[in-house]
Amino acid sequence: GQQLNQSPQSMFIQEGEDVSMNCTSSSIFNTWLWYKQDPGEGPVLLIALYKAGELTSNGRLTAQFGITRKDSFLNISASIPSDVGIYFCAGQGGNNDMRFGAGTRLTVKP
Amino acid sequence: NAGVTQTPKFQVLKTGQSMTLQCAQDMNHEYMSWYRQDPGMGLRLIHYSVGAGITDQGEVPNGYNVSRSTTEDFPLRLLSAAPSQTSVYFCASTSRGPVYGELFFGEGSRLTVL
């Protein structure tokens, strides 16, 4: 099946630092999306990418759709305490299903 | 604006019992799906549907059944619950393609199987 490999699994950073996480796949994806999940809630969309090579920003967040369509990264600049949570990449594959990575758990120390 | 509604939010079952997790959306979305979330495993796709009358298996379909008789509803059935099905379950929906848009998630259903 289509597997999404997300890294790192967890990150512990100081407030103000930049963060980078990425996802790779052995299969081509048509869409890459990045979600954030707060405790006790469902994931919420941060950024959606629809074209290979696309670079999109949303405030302090920047994400790119890899040119090979097999990878994507998410950067968070100048992290703040409310950035704490689990970040997931997700992709729409050839079977028209949406698959998720295992998540990156982010901890921000004030 | 109800969005995606899941019930129940919490459920405790004994091994071998059956139950149905309900999911309803009021956004006229064609695509609906069920995920389970376990620590360190992320969200794993159980079953999905691209429209009424159409369902398909995801990554971890064993032990679960689904049906899609209407656009709005996508129930998930556990026919004979096992402890391995202890998890948090999320229903999600989106408008369909050809490229999918944002997946909208319900609040989750926490299931414990004893």
Side-chain angles (χ1 to χ4, degrees):
Chain A
Q2 300 163 77
Q3 299 292 328
L4 289 183
N5 300 307
Q6 185 172 350
S7 64
Q9 279 189 321
S10 60
M11 301 183 75
F12 296 83
I13 62 170
Q14 289 290 140
E15 183 177 357
E17 289 183 351
D18 296 343
V19 172
S20 184
M21 58 192 79
N22 68 81
C23 264
T24 60
S25 170
S26 57
S27 306
I28 290 173
F29 279 80
N30 299 319
T31 308
W32 283 96
L33 304 103
W34 286 91
Y35 287 81
K36 183 189 178 204
Q37 185 180 30
D38 292 323
E41 299 182 10
V44 174
L45 183 70
L46 298 173
I47 290 182
L49 302 156
Y50 299 108
K51 286 185 185 177
E54 180 181 354
L55 183 71
T56 297
S57 293
N58 179 7
R60 293 178 297 106
L61 307 178
T62 302
Q64 183 158 32
F65 191 144
I67 197 73
T68 65
R69 294 167 62 192
K70 293 184 178 181
D71 63 307
S72 176
F73 72 75
L74 173 71
N75 288 341
I76 305 173
S77 62
S79 59
I80 59 178
S82 61
D83 289 336
V84 165
I86 304 177
Y87 292 80
F88 292 101
C89 62
Q92 177 193 352
N95 293 333
N96 286 329
D97 58 345
M98 292 282 274
R99 301 292 179 102
F100 281 74
T104 296
R105 184 178 294 273
L106 179 64
T107 303
V108 180
K109 302 174 198 173
Chain B
N1 294 334
V4 179
T5 303
Q6 286 181 238
T7 56
K9 287 189 168 47
F10 300 94
Q11 183 73 49
V12 179
L13 291 177
K14 293 182 180 176
T15 297
Q17 286 185 318
S18 63
M19 78 156 298
T20 299
L21 297 177
Q22 302 289 347
C23 177
Q25 53 90 12
D26 60 359
M27 297 172 282
N28 202 31
H29 284 166
E30 298 91 342
Y31 180 97
M32 296 186 73
S33 53
W34 278 102
Y35 295 86
R36 59 176 288 175
Q37 185 174 26
D38 303 295
M41 304 288 286
L43 290 152
R44 291 185 291 170
L45 182 65
I46 305 172
H47 286 284
Y48 66 101
S49 168
V50 297
I54 306 169
T55 63
D56 212 337
Q57 296 182 349
E59 303 168 78
V60 289
N62 293 340
Y64 307 96
N65 281 350
V66 291
S67 59
R68 186 88 181 274
S69 56
T70 67
T71 300
E72 293 79 19
D73 300 299
F74 191 45
L76 179 71
R77 297 183 186 86
L78 285 71
L79 297 179
S80 180
S84 61
Q85 294 178 304
T86 294
S87 187
V88 181
Y89 292 84
F90 286 98
C91 179
S93 73
T94 187
S95 55
R96 185 186 170 197
V99 173
Y100 294 151
E102 173 182 359
L103 264 181
F104 291 85
F105 283 84
E107 293 183 339
S109 298
R110 184 175 294 274
L111 175 66
T112 301
V113 183
L114 303 175

